[in-house]
Amino acid sequence: MAYSASFDKPAVPTGAKLLEFDLGQVQVIARMSINGGDAGVVFMPPYRFVVPVEILKEKGNLIEIEVTSLASNRLRWNDVTGVKWKYFHDINMVGMNYLPMDASKRSVVPCGLSGDIKWRIVK
């Protein structure tokens, strides 16, 4: 899932050098960029990114967040929609009980952002 938003530079005290963006609840892995610059990847709480204040423009900053789900969601989707993905020749695709795997009956694991993104000055 991909999220994006534009924002103006917040009021930052003179001398402040770093801002922390807190994504709150994330399911499961998040990559963030600001104005096209990579801010990193997080895969466990806390889902926070620290960026230098200097990368922000006065107006029209673009924040982009890409959230990656678990592979089990994709495998379920493949089986529900009939996508042919079991094309391995050197292994058998079986479930935990060694019967042919059918991921279509698995529950969907929640994915995405939940809540607001918050920022604070850290230094």
Side-chain angles (χ1 to χ4, degrees):
M1 301 186 84
Y3 304 85
S4 64
S6 60
F7 65 98
D8 294 336
K9 184 176 180 179
V12 178
T14 304
K17 296 189 180 344
L18 299 174
L19 289 178
E20 177 185 81
F21 288 85
D22 186 341
L23 304 186
Q25 284 289 103
V26 175
Q27 308 293 337
V28 175
I29 300 169
R31 173 185 299 278
M32 188 176 91
S33 67
I34 295 183
N35 296 330
D38 187 19
V41 175
V42 290
F43 58 90
M44 57 190 253
Y47 291 97
R48 296 180 184 143
F49 295 89
V50 176
V51 299
V53 171
E54 65 196 31
I55 68 168
L56 298 179
K57 303 180 287 186
E58 290 300 320
K59 301 242 181 241
N61 293 285
L62 177 64
I63 185 171
E64 297 173 290
I65 301 164
E66 179 183 326
V67 178
T68 303
S69 179
L70 294 175
S72 64
N73 282 350
R74 179 56 191 229
L75 297 181
R76 180 188 183 282
W77 183 85
N78 286 350
D79 281 352
V80 166
T81 60
V83 171
K84 302 295 181 205
W85 66 274
K86 300 172 189 168
Y87 54 84
F88 302 100
H89 302 291
D90 56 347
I91 63 170
N92 294 318
M93 298 304 291
V94 296
M96 292 177 64
N97 56 5
Y98 292 100
L99 295 174
M101 188 170 107
D102 178 11
S104 67
K105 293 173 181 58
R106 292 182 180 174
S107 298
V108 174
V109 178
C111 177
L113 294 177
S114 303
D116 296 330
I117 297 172
K118 298 176 181 149
W119 67 270
R120 71 181 183 97
I121 299 163
V122 292
K123 188 174 182 185

